[in-house]
Amino acid sequence: MPLAPQRADVPVTIDGSKCIDGCTLCVDMCPLDSLAIDPASGKAFMHVDECWYCGPCAARCPTGAVTVNMPYLLR
Ligand code: SF4
Ligand code: SF4
């Protein structure tokens, strides 16, 4: 079954095909608790649409599944 396309307009997107079951590193790293593990899929996702674009979630993911979609105005 194909995965539903991920919304591109959220600050952080997670590639579920790369996210490792049982890992919670990005969730643990986020100072805003914006990320969570979906109990149904076991994959991380952005459950609160709030982000400082600080980056540790992406930096610590062992598989590179996390993408921080930095707004152009902040670059
Ligand atoms: S750090 Fe990476 S592998 Fe671990 S829960 Fe987050 S997205 Fe999944
Ligand atoms: S960039 Fe920072 S605030 Fe945004 S989800 Fe990652 S750790 Fe949380």
Side-chain angles (χ1 to χ4, degrees):
M1 190 171 67
L3 290 170
Q6 281 194 323
R7 280 174 58 205
D9 55 338
V10 290
V12 170
T13 48
I14 287 149
D15 183 343
S17 66
K18 292 186 188 167
C19 180
I20 306 166
D21 270 10
C23 173
T24 60
L25 265 179
C26 60
V27 175
D28 296 341
M29 291 310 297
C30 180
L32 290 175
D33 289 332
S34 295
L35 305 175
I37 303 294
D38 180 349
S41 66
K43 312 291 186 187
F45 74 111
M46 183 155 243
H47 78 126
V48 176
D49 207 342
E50 201 174 327
C51 187
W52 287 343
Y53 305 101
C54 51
C57 54
R60 290 299 298 277
C61 177
T63 62
V66 182
T67 303
V68 179
N69 302 302
M70 191 79 73
Y72 286 110
L73 285 174
L74 289 183
R75 282 181 191 170

